[in-house]
Amino acid sequence: MTIPPAFLDELRARVGLAATIGRSVKLTRAGREMKGCCPFHNEKTPSFYVNEDKGFYHCFGCGEHGSVIDWTMKQEGLAFRDAIESLAAQAGLDMPQESPEGQQRARAAAGLHEVTARAATWFAEQLASAGGAAARGYLDKRGLTAAMVAAFQLGLAPDARTRLKAALDSVGEARLIETGMLIAPEPDSSGKAGETYDRFRGRLMFPIRDPRGRVIAFGGRILGDGQPKYLNSPDTPLFDKGRTLYNLDRAGPAARKSGRLLVVEGYMDVIALAQAGIIEAVAPLGTALTEQQLQLLWRVVPEPVLCFDGDAAGQRAGLRAALRALPLLEPGRSLRLAALPAGQDPDDIVRTQGTAAFEALLAGAEPLIDRLWRAETEGIDTGTPERRAGVRERLREHSQSIANASVRSLYDAEFRARFDALFLPQRSFTPGKGGRFAAPTARASEALKALHARPPATQEIAALLVGLLEHPSLADRCGERLAHLDAGEGTARALLGGILDALTHEPELDKVALTHNLRGRGLAELADRVRASNRLGFSFTKPSPPDQVSGHEAALERDFAAVVDTVLARTRIDGELAAATRRFANSESEADWTAQQRLRAERAAVDGTLMRLAETRRNSDLD
């Protein structure tokens, strides 16, 4: 059903945006807006603003923007309709009327949620009863605390054929069958139907919840001998195992704040990690990761980390997930894969080695492209041209499977460069005059000398510092990015640190108050020297009368943020260019030479951007 725009407008008008966001983000008044530290990325200086009048939030640090509906979807991990229903309930609004068939489906679904909720409660009661002693002993043996058992509402399905059926008799047999709690045998040859019986028997029970926290299905682990070891509910009107992730309702909100989301193989891994303080973990439900589950992960974070078991099956599962993700990759959206020790799973590691050991494994998770490269080259016989051609063809097939043209071309270029560097070192030449090829030794030597001789670029840093001195509010708009600027070791670094520290403790400082604060810190002379040294005419470096600043505030912020981002990009490129130049000087390979030239071109483009920013703003309205 399409939700009428008028209803959405009424919903936005009734639900307070600042009040909704303020439940999870500390907001303070900033003029007509509210501001706070952005929940979508880590920062110390607030750059996240809420405009109640216009009905949107915006982060000047990471660019996140949206309405109260977007906020509810992202923070609670809800689909659009679920977010609307949640907000409508808060506002006391009835959802728009659906067709009679739609209303009937909604009522039926609500009734089924009641069935699964009652079943979860009953299973938990059985675990706590005298008959649950063996199951509780198993959980004790696995090291789970009573708090974790309660938090995940673990339960027990007694080893009896119709105990659940009898306990929930008032629910009705038809609804128990529809939710997958009972099995209805096929009629025999005479057409007589057999007696229904409990699906789960003699199993430790794990309730499976949707993103809103409602129980929709169950997983059960056998407590004795028997197969299958794990049994999940069948697909039902509430549950589609290929579109569901275990623990997403708890892990999603935490992952949005921390910026990471882990995918492990099983229920016990999720719970063990939560007990160890790592609460951003989910698990698929007995199947390989599906495209729909990958999309769920990417709705939460841009690069989920796969932490599958260290055995051969776990490694195969990780590779299958990597291949399944390839066609879906987009700029900024990928996977990383953590390599666990052979024969160990996340539960083993946190129990025997502790949380720090597992965090170290996460820190070393390899990018998707590295995992694919290893899969095609590690331990592969490449002793003949034909076998090497096979490797190159498989790599090409991987890159060509990516739908996004930009990502596809970069994967193809990266695979080509790695292949040439690995298999074609004897053909390492660089272009010479007249279209010929010449040994690159001299070029490499000169490039390395130029690298060491290049002085650090400080002009733009000085300009940014002058901008902060003239317009301290600009610090709010760039958040953590300012802290990452490479200001060297002298005057610029000391002054940048002093400015950021002053504005962190007193965010409302204006130009005069900041100057006074810096004088108290003994930094006034440094500020004067930086002002005098600035030679770049960006808009934000020029003093502006108070009556003009407000009218040009957006332009100042835009120009300042553009220069910050460009300087950070140059720092990154310089680091990569230095590494490529050193590799070229050692290898004299065509691949390293190509990488070096590409980075030089990027560096030139960045310099050009800075020059254009200075030139176009030199004669701006603020002059």
Side-chain angles (χ1 to χ4, degrees), residues 197-280:
Y197 57 92
D198 296 353
R199 178 177 300 275
F200 298 100
R201 304 181 305 279
R203 291 180 179 271
L204 183 66
M205 300 299 292
F206 300 84
I208 300 168
R209 294 178 167 81
D210 67 10
R212 295 177 63 178
R214 299 173 298 188
V215 177
I216 56 174
F218 294 89
R221 187 196 188 283
I222 197 76
L223 286 171
D225 296 330
Q227 291 295 328
K229 182 178 179 181
Y230 281 94
L231 176 67
N232 288 328
S233 293
D235 285 352
T236 71
L238 298 181
F239 176 57
D240 181 340
K241 65 184 176 184
R243 297 174 182 270
T244 306
L245 290 164
Y246 179 68
N247 196 46
L248 185 59
D249 60 309
R250 294 165 57 91
R256 289 181 182 88
K257 292 181 180 179
S258 68
R260 71 175 183 183
L261 182 61
L262 318 181
V263 185
V264 296
E265 287 195 41
Y267 308 114
M268 292 300 293
D269 290 323
V270 167
I271 300 172
L273 289 175
Q275 183 167 293
I278 301 173
I279 58 179
E280 315 99 318

Side-chain angles (χ1 to χ4, degrees), residues 265 287-289 306 308-309 311-323 337 371:
E265 287 195 41
T287 61
L289 272 178
L306 306 187
F308 293 156
D309 296 353
D311 56 16
Q315 295 307 299
R316 287 194 299 271
L319 183 57
R320 283 198 304 272
L323 295 174
L337 296 92
R371 180 67 183 89

Side-chain angles (χ1 to χ4, degrees), residues 153-378:
Q153 203 180 2
L154 303 190
L156 171 68
D159 193 8
R161 190 172 175 83
T162 58
R163 285 280 301 279
L164 175 69
K165 176 182 175 181
L168 288 124
D169 179 64
S170 62
V171 166
E173 190 174 72
R175 291 204 294 173
L176 288 170
I177 293 172
E178 195 172 8
T179 55
M181 305 312 301
L182 296 186
I183 293 176
E186 294 291 330
D188 60 20
S189 57
S190 66
K192 181 180 179 181
E195 183 182 0
T196 59
Y197 57 92
D198 296 353
R199 178 177 300 275
F200 298 100
R201 304 181 305 279
R203 291 180 179 271
L204 183 66
M205 300 299 292
F206 300 84
I208 300 168
R209 294 178 167 81
D210 67 10
R212 295 177 63 178
R214 299 173 298 188
V215 177
I216 56 174
F218 294 89
R221 187 196 188 283
I222 197 76
L223 286 171
D225 296 330
Q227 291 295 328
K229 182 178 179 181
Y230 281 94
L231 176 67
N232 288 328
S233 293
D235 285 352
T236 71
L238 298 181
F239 176 57
D240 181 340
K241 65 184 176 184
R243 297 174 182 270
T244 306
L245 290 164
Y246 179 68
N247 196 46
L248 185 59
D249 60 309
R250 294 165 57 91
R256 289 181 182 88
K257 292 181 180 179
S258 68
R260 71 175 183 183
L261 182 61
L262 318 181
V263 185
V264 296
E265 287 195 41
Y267 308 114
M268 292 300 293
D269 290 323
V270 167
I271 300 172
L273 289 175
Q275 183 167 293
I278 301 173
I279 58 179
E280 315 99 318
V282 299
L285 299 163
T287 61
L289 272 178
T290 65
E291 289 84 353
Q292 293 81 8
Q293 288 170 330
L294 286 166
Q295 297 290 358
L296 285 175
L297 295 169
W298 282 322
R299 281 173 57 182
V300 181
V301 298
E303 286 193 1
V305 181
L306 306 187
C307 307
F308 293 156
D309 296 353
D311 56 16
Q315 295 307 299
R316 287 194 299 271
L319 183 57
R320 283 198 304 272
L323 295 174
R324 183 158 287 176
L326 273 177
L328 309 175
L329 299 183
E330 292 182 1
R333 193 172 79 174
S334 187
L335 296 173
R336 290 188 296 132
L337 296 92
L340 273 60
Q344 293 194 331
D345 58 29
D347 184 13
D348 296 326
I349 294 170
V350 296
R351 281 193 295 114
T352 61
Q353 301 177 46
T355 305
F358 189 74
E359 291 281 6
L361 290 174
L362 296 180
E366 61 184 343
L368 175 60
I369 192 170
D370 291 348
R371 180 67 183 89
L372 294 172
W373 173 259
R374 280 203 305 112
E376 299 300 349
T377 59
E378 202 170 73

